């Protein structure tokens, strides 16, 4: 293991994560963090020349459709069902005095 995690780092991470760790849990966390950092070091050895950076492992396309108005000028048909209308708008009872 090239990466060694000290007690101060484990205590700091415990404070950030709002965890109270026993001595055994701290030792296990040190081993786990060191193995994670060793794995990251191993990944850093890979040759990534010519590999295009990506923001997601799966191809993500915009799934939203274009905002196209298809029935925008249908005011008369909409107001035909209104109990009351005034100046091209729904007329409702007053709710605030």
């Amino acid at each position: 293991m090239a990466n060694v995690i000290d007690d101060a780092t484990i205590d700091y991470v415990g404070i950030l994560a709002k965890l109270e760790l026993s001595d055994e849990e701290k030792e296990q966390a040190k081993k786990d963090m060191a193995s994670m950092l060793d794995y990251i070091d191993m990944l850093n050895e890979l040759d990534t020349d010519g590999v295009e950076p990506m923001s997601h492992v799966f191809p993500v396309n915009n799934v939203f459709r274009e905002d196209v108005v298809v029935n925008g000028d249908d005011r008369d048909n909409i107001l035909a069902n209104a109990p009351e209308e005034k100046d091209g708008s729904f007329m409702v009872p007053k709710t605030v005095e």
Side-chain angles (χ1 to χ4, degrees):
M1 274 196 294
N3 294 296
V4 178
I5 307 297
D6 60 357
D7 291 330
T9 303
I10 291 297
D11 291 337
Y12 181 66
V13 171
I15 290 169
L16 291 176
K18 297 184 180 181
L19 296 175
E20 292 183 23
L21 300 175
S22 66
D23 291 337
E24 296 84 25
E25 291 171 326
K26 286 181 183 180
E27 288 302 317
Q28 185 61 44
K30 283 170 41 175
K31 291 176 188 174
D32 291 344
M33 289 177 77
S35 67
M36 286 185 258
L37 292 174
D38 288 339
Y39 185 72
I40 291 170
D41 288 342
M42 185 177 67
L43 290 176
N44 285 334
E45 295 174 5
L46 294 173
D47 180 23
T48 57
D49 291 338
V51 177
E52 183 179 336
M54 58 183 164
S55 62
H56 201 280
V57 292
F58 299 111
V60 177
N61 298 321
N62 187 357
V63 295
F64 298 113
R65 62 173 170 75
E66 289 294 320
D67 190 15
V68 178
V69 178
V70 293
N71 59 351
D73 195 21
D74 203 16
R75 178 182 287 185
D76 294 333
N77 286 337
I78 293 171
L79 289 175
N81 293 323
E84 293 184 55
E85 65 99 6
K86 179 180 179 184
D87 300 328
S89 298
F90 287 97
M91 192 167 164
V92 296
K94 188 175 184 179
T95 56
V96 179
E97 294 294 326

